[in-house]
Short mmCIF file of all heavy atoms in Angstrom, two decimals:
data_model
loop_
_atom_site.label_atom_id
_atom_site.label_comp_id
_atom_site.label_asym_id
_atom_site.label_seq_id
_atom_site.Cartn_x
_atom_site.Cartn_y
_atom_site.Cartn_z
N GLU M 46 -4.32 -0.79 7.91
CA GLU M 46 -4.40 -0.43 9.33
C GLU M 46 -3.04 -0.53 10.01
O GLU M 46 -2.76 0.22 10.94
CB GLU M 46 -5.45 -1.31 10.01
CG GLU M 46 -6.86 -0.96 9.56
CD GLU M 46 -7.95 -1.77 10.24
OE1 GLU M 46 -7.61 -2.65 11.06
OE2 GLU M 46 -9.14 -1.52 9.97
N VAL M 47 -2.20 -1.44 9.53
CA VAL M 47 -0.81 -1.49 10.01
C VAL M 47 -0.11 -0.18 9.64
O VAL M 47 0.56 0.45 10.48
CB VAL M 47 -0.06 -2.69 9.39
CG1 VAL M 47 1.45 -2.55 9.62
CG2 VAL M 47 -0.55 -4.00 10.01
N ALA M 48 -0.26 0.23 8.38
CA ALA M 48 0.37 1.48 7.93
C ALA M 48 -0.16 2.68 8.71
O ALA M 48 0.61 3.59 9.05
CB ALA M 48 0.12 1.68 6.43
N ASP M 49 -1.45 2.67 9.03
CA ASP M 49 -2.05 3.77 9.78
C ASP M 49 -1.45 3.84 11.19
O ASP M 49 -1.14 4.93 11.68
CB ASP M 49 -3.56 3.58 9.86
CG ASP M 49 -4.23 4.65 10.70
OD1 ASP M 49 -4.15 5.83 10.33
OD2 ASP M 49 -4.85 4.30 11.73
N ALA M 50 -1.29 2.69 11.84
CA ALA M 50 -0.71 2.66 13.19
C ALA M 50 0.72 3.18 13.17
O ALA M 50 1.16 3.87 14.10
CB ALA M 50 -0.76 1.24 13.76
N ILE M 51 1.45 2.85 12.11
CA ILE M 51 2.83 3.34 11.96
C ILE M 51 2.84 4.86 11.80
O ILE M 51 3.63 5.56 12.43
CB ILE M 51 3.53 2.66 10.77
CG1 ILE M 51 3.74 1.17 11.06
CG2 ILE M 51 4.86 3.34 10.45
CD1 ILE M 51 4.20 0.37 9.87
N THR M 52 1.94 5.37 10.97
CA THR M 52 1.85 6.81 10.75
C THR M 52 1.54 7.54 12.04
O THR M 52 2.08 8.61 12.33
CB THR M 52 0.76 7.12 9.69
OG1 THR M 52 1.12 6.48 8.46
CG2 THR M 52 0.65 8.62 9.46
N ARG M 53 0.63 6.96 12.85
CA ARG M 53 0.25 7.58 14.12
C ARG M 53 1.25 7.32 15.24
O ARG M 53 1.11 7.84 16.34
CB ARG M 53 -1.13 7.07 14.54
CG ARG M 53 -2.26 7.55 13.65
CD ARG M 53 -3.62 7.11 14.16
NE ARG M 53 -3.88 5.69 13.92
CZ ARG M 53 -3.81 4.74 14.84
NH1 ARG M 53 -3.49 5.04 16.10
NH2 ARG M 53 -4.07 3.48 14.55
N GLU M 54 2.27 6.50 14.95
CA GLU M 54 3.30 6.14 15.94
C GLU M 54 2.69 5.55 17.21
O GLU M 54 3.14 5.81 18.32
CB GLU M 54 4.19 7.35 16.27
CG GLU M 54 4.95 7.88 15.06
CD GLU M 54 5.92 8.99 15.42
OE1 GLU M 54 5.88 9.47 16.57
OE2 GLU M 54 6.72 9.36 14.56
N ASP M 55 1.64 4.75 16.99
CA ASP M 55 0.95 4.09 18.10
C ASP M 55 1.45 2.65 18.15
O ASP M 55 0.96 1.77 17.45
CB ASP M 55 -0.57 4.13 17.86
CG ASP M 55 -1.37 3.62 19.05
OD1 ASP M 55 -0.82 2.79 19.82
OD2 ASP M 55 -2.52 4.03 19.22
N ARG M 56 2.43 2.39 19.01
CA ARG M 56 3.07 1.08 19.04
C ARG M 56 2.14 -0.01 19.58
O ARG M 56 2.19 -1.15 19.11
CB ARG M 56 4.35 1.14 19.88
CG ARG M 56 5.41 2.09 19.34
CD ARG M 56 5.90 1.64 17.97
NE ARG M 56 6.95 2.51 17.47
CZ ARG M 56 6.78 3.44 16.53
NH1 ARG M 56 5.58 3.61 15.99
NH2 ARG M 56 7.79 4.19 16.12
N ALA M 57 1.29 0.33 20.53
CA ALA M 57 0.36 -0.67 21.06
C ALA M 57 -0.62 -1.08 19.97
O ALA M 57 -0.92 -2.28 19.79
CB ALA M 57 -0.39 -0.12 22.27
N ASP M 58 -1.12 -0.10 19.23
CA ASP M 58 -2.04 -0.40 18.14
C ASP M 58 -1.32 -1.15 17.03
O ASP M 58 -1.90 -2.05 16.40
CB ASP M 58 -2.65 0.90 17.60
CG ASP M 58 -3.93 0.66 16.81
OD1 ASP M 58 -4.60 -0.35 17.07
OD2 ASP M 58 -4.24 1.47 15.93
N LEU M 59 -0.06 -0.80 16.78
CA LEU M 59 0.72 -1.50 15.75
C LEU M 59 0.84 -2.98 16.09
O LEU M 59 0.70 -3.84 15.21
CB LEU M 59 2.11 -0.86 15.62
CG LEU M 59 3.08 -1.56 14.66
CD1 LEU M 59 2.51 -1.58 13.24
CD2 LEU M 59 4.44 -0.85 14.67
N ARG M 60 1.11 -3.29 17.36
CA ARG M 60 1.18 -4.69 17.78
C ARG M 60 -0.12 -5.41 17.45
O ARG M 60 -0.12 -6.51 16.88
CB ARG M 60 1.45 -4.76 19.28
CG ARG M 60 1.49 -6.19 19.85
CD ARG M 60 1.26 -6.18 21.34
NE ARG M 60 -0.04 -5.60 21.66
CZ ARG M 60 -0.39 -5.19 22.89
NH1 ARG M 60 0.46 -5.26 23.88
NH2 ARG M 60 -1.60 -4.68 23.09
N SER M 229 -1.26 11.51 5.25
CA SER M 229 -0.97 12.62 6.18
C SER M 229 -1.85 13.82 5.88
O SER M 229 -2.37 14.47 6.79
CB SER M 229 0.50 13.01 6.08
OG SER M 229 1.34 11.96 6.50
#
Side-chain angles (χ1 to χ4, degrees):
E46 290 182 358
V47 166
D49 177 62
I51 292 170
T52 300
R53 292 184 286 103
E54 298 185 351
D55 187 333
R56 298 297 182 257
D58 199 26
L59 176 60
R60 178 200 60 195
S229 296

